[in-house]
Amino acid sequence: MNRKENWIQETLNIADNIQRAEVSTHLTERLLNTTYAKGKIIYMQPLVKWVAAACIVLLTGINVVSIIQYDKKSTSGRTDNNPVYKEYFSYLNTL
């Protein structure tokens, strides 16, 4: 084995001897108590859930329609007769 493989093997052998750290019961209880004490349960009525879902669907639908309409308008504006198009892409003729 070369030097790198020996180093890898030694590192893996060291990892075999690692043991789990001992945690005092006092610390465990404090952590569990503070975690559960700060947790809040939020109850939403079923009507509120449906209204929120309907709003998300409505906003998504409006965005999709807007994107489709914008795409139709932007493709119709890309003609050679458009002066902005001619001026913007006039550098291509010089290449």
Side-chain angles (χ1 to χ4, degrees), residues 66-77:
S66 299
I67 290 171
I68 292 171
Q69 292 298 323
Y70 177 76
D71 189 43
K72 286 181 182 176
K73 287 182 180 180
S74 64
T75 55
S76 65

PDB file of all heavy atoms in Angstrom, residues 66-77:
ATOM      1  N   SER A  66     -50.986  35.450 -17.302  1.00  0.00           N
ATOM      2  CA  SER A  66     -50.141  36.614 -17.587  1.00  0.00           C
ATOM      3  C   SER A  66     -48.918  36.230 -18.408  1.00  0.00           C
ATOM      4  O   SER A  66     -48.541  36.932 -19.355  1.00  0.00           O
ATOM      5  CB  SER A  66     -49.685  37.287 -16.298  1.00  0.00           C
ATOM      6  OG  SER A  66     -50.781  37.739 -15.555  1.00  0.00           O
ATOM      7  N   ILE A  67     -48.299  35.127 -18.071  1.00  0.00           N
ATOM      8  CA  ILE A  67     -47.120  34.672 -18.813  1.00  0.00           C
ATOM      9  C   ILE A  67     -47.488  34.329 -20.250  1.00  0.00           C
ATOM     10  O   ILE A  67     -46.775  34.685 -21.192  1.00  0.00           O
ATOM     11  CB  ILE A  67     -46.468  33.462 -18.100  1.00  0.00           C
ATOM     12  CG1 ILE A  67     -45.827  33.912 -16.795  1.00  0.00           C
ATOM     13  CG2 ILE A  67     -45.460  32.767 -18.995  1.00  0.00           C
ATOM     14  CD1 ILE A  67     -45.365  32.774 -15.922  1.00  0.00           C
ATOM     15  N   ILE A  68     -48.609  33.658 -20.441  1.00  0.00           N
ATOM     16  CA  ILE A  68     -49.037  33.295 -21.791  1.00  0.00           C
ATOM     17  C   ILE A  68     -49.329  34.539 -22.621  1.00  0.00           C
ATOM     18  O   ILE A  68     -48.915  34.646 -23.777  1.00  0.00           O
ATOM     19  CB  ILE A  68     -50.261  32.355 -21.724  1.00  0.00           C
ATOM     20  CG1 ILE A  68     -49.846  31.001 -21.148  1.00  0.00           C
ATOM     21  CG2 ILE A  68     -50.897  32.186 -23.101  1.00  0.00           C
ATOM     22  CD1 ILE A  68     -51.000  30.078 -20.830  1.00  0.00           C
ATOM     23  N   GLN A  69     -50.044  35.511 -22.029  1.00  0.00           N
ATOM     24  CA  GLN A  69     -50.361  36.738 -22.755  1.00  0.00           C
ATOM     25  C   GLN A  69     -49.106  37.534 -23.073  1.00  0.00           C
ATOM     26  O   GLN A  69     -48.973  38.086 -24.164  1.00  0.00           O
ATOM     27  CB  GLN A  69     -51.347  37.601 -21.948  1.00  0.00           C
ATOM     28  CG  GLN A  69     -52.721  36.992 -21.821  1.00  0.00           C
ATOM     29  CD  GLN A  69     -53.389  36.819 -23.167  1.00  0.00           C
ATOM     30  OE1 GLN A  69     -53.254  37.631 -24.063  1.00  0.00           O
ATOM     31  NE2 GLN A  69     -54.115  35.717 -23.306  1.00  0.00           N
ATOM     32  N   TYR A  70     -48.174  37.602 -22.143  1.00  0.00           N
ATOM     33  CA  TYR A  70     -46.929  38.332 -22.375  1.00  0.00           C
ATOM     34  C   TYR A  70     -46.132  37.678 -23.498  1.00  0.00           C
ATOM     35  O   TYR A  70     -45.569  38.369 -24.347  1.00  0.00           O
ATOM     36  CB  TYR A  70     -46.092  38.382 -21.099  1.00  0.00           C
ATOM     37  CG  TYR A  70     -44.768  39.059 -21.294  1.00  0.00           C
ATOM     38  CD1 TYR A  70     -44.678  40.438 -21.391  1.00  0.00           C
ATOM     39  CD2 TYR A  70     -43.599  38.311 -21.410  1.00  0.00           C
ATOM     40  CE1 TYR A  70     -43.468  41.062 -21.584  1.00  0.00           C
ATOM     41  CE2 TYR A  70     -42.383  38.922 -21.602  1.00  0.00           C
ATOM     42  CZ  TYR A  70     -42.320  40.309 -21.686  1.00  0.00           C
ATOM     43  OH  TYR A  70     -41.115  40.919 -21.893  1.00  0.00           O
ATOM     44  N   ASP A  71     -46.114  36.346 -23.508  1.00  0.00           N
ATOM     45  CA  ASP A  71     -45.376  35.639 -24.545  1.00  0.00           C
ATOM     46  C   ASP A  71     -45.995  35.890 -25.922  1.00  0.00           C
ATOM     47  O   ASP A  71     -45.274  36.071 -26.904  1.00  0.00           O
ATOM     48  CB  ASP A  71     -45.355  34.137 -24.240  1.00  0.00           C
ATOM     49  CG  ASP A  71     -44.422  33.380 -25.157  1.00  0.00           C
ATOM     50  OD1 ASP A  71     -43.307  33.881 -25.396  1.00  0.00           O
ATOM     51  OD2 ASP A  71     -44.804  32.289 -25.622  1.00  0.00           O
ATOM     52  N   LYS A  72     -47.318  35.921 -26.007  1.00  0.00           N
ATOM     53  CA  LYS A  72     -47.971  36.195 -27.294  1.00  0.00           C
ATOM     54  C   LYS A  72     -47.663  37.600 -27.783  1.00  0.00           C
ATOM     55  O   LYS A  72     -47.390  37.812 -28.959  1.00  0.00           O
ATOM     56  CB  LYS A  72     -49.491  36.018 -27.162  1.00  0.00           C
ATOM     57  CG  LYS A  72     -49.929  34.585 -27.072  1.00  0.00           C
ATOM     58  CD  LYS A  72     -51.440  34.500 -26.972  1.00  0.00           C
ATOM     59  CE  LYS A  72     -51.904  33.079 -26.829  1.00  0.00           C
ATOM     60  NZ  LYS A  72     -53.363  32.993 -26.646  1.00  0.00           N
ATOM     61  N   LYS A  73     -47.694  38.576 -26.877  1.00  0.00           N
ATOM     62  CA  LYS A  73     -47.434  39.961 -27.272  1.00  0.00           C
ATOM     63  C   LYS A  73     -45.975  40.175 -27.633  1.00  0.00           C
ATOM     64  O   LYS A  73     -45.662  40.914 -28.548  1.00  0.00           O
ATOM     65  CB  LYS A  73     -47.843  40.919 -26.153  1.00  0.00           C
ATOM     66  CG  LYS A  73     -49.326  41.058 -25.993  1.00  0.00           C
ATOM     67  CD  LYS A  73     -49.672  42.045 -24.923  1.00  0.00           C
ATOM     68  CE  LYS A  73     -51.167  42.169 -24.762  1.00  0.00           C
ATOM     69  NZ  LYS A  73     -51.534  43.117 -23.729  1.00  0.00           N
ATOM     70  N   SER A  74     -45.069  39.519 -26.896  1.00  0.00           N
ATOM     71  CA  SER A  74     -43.653  39.746 -27.160  1.00  0.00           C
ATOM     72  C   SER A  74     -43.217  39.092 -28.460  1.00  0.00           C
ATOM     73  O   SER A  74     -42.343  39.603 -29.149  1.00  0.00           O
ATOM     74  CB  SER A  74     -42.805  39.254 -25.993  1.00  0.00           C
ATOM     75  OG  SER A  74     -42.936  37.855 -25.857  1.00  0.00           O
ATOM     76  N   THR A  75     -43.828  37.973 -28.845  1.00  0.00           N
ATOM     77  CA  THR A  75     -43.456  37.347 -30.115  1.00  0.00           C
ATOM     78  C   THR A  75     -44.023  38.120 -31.286  1.00  0.00           C
ATOM     79  O   THR A  75     -43.409  38.171 -32.347  1.00  0.00           O
ATOM     80  CB  THR A  75     -43.947  35.882 -30.183  1.00  0.00           C
ATOM     81  OG1 THR A  75     -45.351  35.856 -29.942  1.00  0.00           O
ATOM     82  CG2 THR A  75     -43.218  35.021 -29.196  1.00  0.00           C
ATOM     83  N   SER A  76     -45.179  38.758 -31.115  1.00  0.00           N
ATOM     84  CA  SER A  76     -45.745  39.530 -32.220  1.00  0.00           C
ATOM     85  C   SER A  76     -44.993  40.843 -32.415  1.00  0.00           C
ATOM     86  O   SER A  76     -45.025  41.419 -33.491  1.00  0.00           O
ATOM     87  CB  SER A  76     -47.233  39.805 -31.970  1.00  0.00           C
ATOM     88  OG  SER A  76     -47.383  40.635 -30.834  1.00  0.00           O
ATOM     89  N   GLY A  77     -44.292  41.325 -31.405  1.00  0.00           N
ATOM     90  CA  GLY A  77     -43.551  42.587 -31.522  1.00  0.00           C
ATOM     91  C   GLY A  77     -42.167  42.411 -32.105  1.00  0.00           C
ATOM     92  O   GLY A  77     -41.471  43.373 -32.372  1.00  0.00           O
TER      93      GLY A  77
END
